[in-house]
Each structure stands twice: as structure tokens, then as C-alpha cells.
Amino acid sequence: MATWSNLNFQNSASPLMEQIIFFHDHTLVILLMITILVSYLMLSLFFNKFINRFLLEEQMIEMIWTILPAITLIFIALPSLRLLYLLDELNNPLMTIKSIGHQWYWSYEYSDFLNIEFDSYMLQSNNQKNNFRLLDVDNRIILPMNNQIRVLITATDVIHSWTVPSLGIKVDANPGRLNQTNFFINRPGLFYGQCSEICGANHSFMPIVIESIPLKNFIKWINNY
């Protein structure tokens, strides 16, 4: 999870988040190259006493500063489109859960397994000993790792947003509408998120916690629920 001194992305826990971080780094390198080139040209113009008489109304330089940005945009657009289609792709999910946003808590339904339902409230500060303040909940989402999971997201009152940064997930929860997303958790652990759409007075107090465990442990949890 992110800490106060961490200005980067959270460590990825899914292949999609890895691709998002790779694309961010790829785009940042291109922006850095453009910034260095433009800075060098500006400094050269400021401190150069010579004048190029062919600089104005010159066809060659017009072609160069039209073609180079077009090529640069292609290098950004192609990986971006690839990532966009990867985010929408859903291949044979193992299970489906439903997340419902309320003012101000989340409720979850495991409709594939005998209709398991529970509410997830933020733990109060006086009940926390070794937990993260304003981030831990009384009922965590238990999910199996190394499996494709589909999530249906909606709300009952106002617009919320179901967000887990380390999984690369941010989906609006709209009243009267079902939104769908999917993810693949590739390691065990606890992954924290929060509502990312301002939804009222207690908007900051409806966290999300996903607990990723091996499949055999998940089956035991389902049987004992």
C-alpha cells in the first residue's frame, strides 16, 4: 500500500496494473525526451547571436515539426489502445461477486455460492490495534488468487466509485446501473482501496479491503461461512 513518502504507484498485484505502470513509464520517457529537446533548442535560441535566414517560410522545417510529433503520438497511441482493450477483456471468470455502494459503506454478494451476503463497515478508531486507521473493515472481501474474478458494481443512493489501486481498478457505482470489471490477483495479501467519488459527508470513511488467499483456503472459507 502507499505511504506518506511514496510518490509512485502502489506495488502491482495484478497483470493489468503491471501493464498500466509499464505504459506510464513508457510515456514518461517520451515526455522527458521531448522536454530535453525543447529545452536545448530554447537555450540555443536565447544564447545564439547568429540568424538563420532560411528559418522562416521554409518547407523542410515545416515538414520536420509536423512529422516528428505525429510519429511521437503513434508511439504513445498504440500501447494505449492495446492496454485499453486488455482492460475490457474478460475470459471465463471463475466467480462473480457483486459490490453495492451505500451511504456510507459497501455490501457484497457472492451469488455463485449459496447467496452469501454481508456488509463491510470501516472499523472505528477505538477498535483498532494493529490495523490501518480509516482503511480496515469489519468484513473483508475474501477472494482466491491466480483466478479471474468478475465484479458487478452498483449503488443504492448516490454515485460511488469502487477503487483498488494495486489491482488497477476504478469503476463508478451508479444507482440503477450495473457496471462490470474484472481482475486477476497474482499474489496473496491485503489490498486496500477507498471510494473515489465524492458521495456525501462520510465519503472518506467507506474503505475497501480485499484479502487474497490460495484457492483451497477460499473453498474452506466458503464451506465454513
Side-chain angles (χ1 to χ4, degrees), residues 89-144:
E89 189 174 353
L90 180 59
N91 293 322
N92 301 322
L94 172 78
M95 58 174 289
T96 300
I97 65 170
K98 187 176 180 182
S99 173
I100 306 168
H102 306 264
Q103 287 182 314
W104 287 272
Y105 65 96
W106 296 97
S107 61
Y108 300 97
E109 298 178 4
Y110 289 70
S111 53
D112 294 343
F113 305 98
L114 302 175
N115 204 22
I116 297 174
E117 300 179 10
F118 57 85
D119 297 330
S120 182
Y121 289 89
M122 183 189 74
L123 288 179
Q124 299 299 318
S125 298
N126 53 5
N127 293 335
Q128 299 190 38
K129 294 181 180 179
N130 299 316
N131 301 320
F132 293 109
R133 179 176 175 271
L134 304 183
L135 278 180
D136 228 317
V137 296
D138 53 359
N139 290 311
R140 297 169 177 167
I141 313 165
I142 310 295
L143 293 175

Side-chain angles (χ1 to χ4, degrees), residues 51-207:
I51 296 174
N52 185 349
R53 60 178 179 164
F54 298 113
L55 184 63
L56 299 177
E57 299 182 4
E58 173 64 26
Q59 296 297 323
M60 182 56 70
I61 197 168
E62 292 278 356
M63 288 178 58
I64 290 173
W65 67 41
T66 302
I67 293 173
L68 280 182
I71 294 173
T72 305
L73 288 175
I74 289 173
F75 275 98
I76 296 175
L78 291 180
S80 174
L81 289 172
R82 173 181 171 272
L83 182 58
L84 191 64
Y85 280 99
L86 280 176
L87 289 171
D88 283 338
E89 189 174 353
L90 180 59
N91 293 322
N92 301 322
L94 172 78
M95 58 174 289
T96 300
I97 65 170
K98 187 176 180 182
S99 173
I100 306 168
H102 306 264
Q103 287 182 314
W104 287 272
Y105 65 96
W106 296 97
S107 61
Y108 300 97
E109 298 178 4
Y110 289 70
S111 53
D112 294 343
F113 305 98
L114 302 175
N115 204 22
I116 297 174
E117 300 179 10
F118 57 85
D119 297 330
S120 182
Y121 289 89
M122 183 189 74
L123 288 179
Q124 299 299 318
S125 298
N126 53 5
N127 293 335
Q128 299 190 38
K129 294 181 180 179
N130 299 316
N131 301 320
F132 293 109
R133 179 176 175 271
L134 304 183
L135 278 180
D136 228 317
V137 296
D138 53 359
N139 290 311
R140 297 169 177 167
I141 313 165
I142 310 295
L143 293 175
M145 57 181 285
N146 293 328
N147 287 285
Q148 196 76 27
I149 310 295
R150 175 172 57 188
V151 186
L152 302 177
I153 300 163
T154 188
T156 59
D157 33 47
V158 298
I159 299 176
H160 302 274
S161 184
W162 201 76
T163 305
V164 184
S166 58
L167 300 178
I169 299 172
K170 185 178 185 296
V171 182
D172 283 348
N174 298 309
R177 173 182 290 184
L178 276 179
N179 287 330
Q180 174 181 285
T181 188
N182 70 97
F183 55 87
F184 182 97
I185 307 175
N186 54 18
R187 60 187 174 92
L190 293 177
F191 308 111
Y192 295 89
Q194 290 176 299
C195 176
S196 298
E197 186 73 34
I198 296 177
C199 55
N202 291 334
H203 157 69
S204 301
F205 307 110
M206 47 184 300

